Amino acid sequence: MRHLVTAAICVAAMTLPALSASGEELSWSCRNNDLEISCNHGKCEVAEAHTAMDVHLSRDEISVCAYSGCWAGKPSAIVQTGAFLTFAGTSLPFSTNPEDLADVSVTIATKSHVATILVAGGYATPAVCEPK
């Protein structure tokens, strides 16, 4: 049992660094100003009209806002692999309906500042990000 706890602590330390590999703070803001893609029932569709998602990411927060509220909480993992920086959150409550829990992942290509926002069972949409 002690080995499992030690392994879990080592994994957490590796996935939640204070700084990215380039030495920058892990804080980003992203928006999908150009389009929204919703994925449900085995297919994805581009919305004809949409309100841009507003995404804020840091060591202490992952917040994905859409329409009337935000899925928000502390990231369960932050992983940097090469040019990709991924923030993931599990069972994040929606601010206007806390029973609406979602698993969320945002992967940023840090050189191009292009991201993919995934809200499990809801959205798979590109976005443009800026470090903060």
Side-chain angles (χ1 to χ4, degrees):
M1 178 70 164
R2 192 170 97 182
H3 295 291
L4 291 175
V5 172
T6 302
I9 291 169
C10 290
V11 169
M14 289 185 332
T15 59
L16 292 172
L19 301 173
S20 70
S22 64
E24 295 178 33
E25 287 292 330
L26 292 176
S27 296
W28 290 79
S29 292
C30 307
R31 287 181 60 86
N32 66 324
N33 290 326
D34 301 312
L35 64 113
E36 172 186 304
I37 301 172
S38 298
C39 297
N40 293 297
H41 311 294
K43 68 177 187 173
C44 297
E45 299 177 320
V46 176
E48 289 185 28
H50 78 282
T51 301
M53 290 179 161
D54 196 20
V55 177
H56 298 281
L57 306 161
S58 73
R59 179 182 172 95
D60 298 318
E61 178 188 30
I62 182 169
S63 173
V64 176
C65 302
Y67 299 98
S68 63
C70 304
W71 289 282
K74 188 166 178 76
S76 54
I78 302 171
V79 179
Q80 179 145 21
T81 305
F84 295 109
L85 178 61
T86 301
F87 292 80
T90 55
S91 298
L92 300 179
F94 197 65
S95 59
T96 58
N97 181 9
E99 292 81 33
D100 179 9
L101 303 176
D103 292 342
V104 173
S105 173
V106 180
T107 297
I108 304 166
T110 57
K111 292 180 182 175
S112 66
H113 295 195
V114 173
T116 301
I117 303 167
L118 293 173
V119 178
Y123 301 98
T125 196
V128 176
C129 304
E130 291 296 327
K132 297 295 173 192

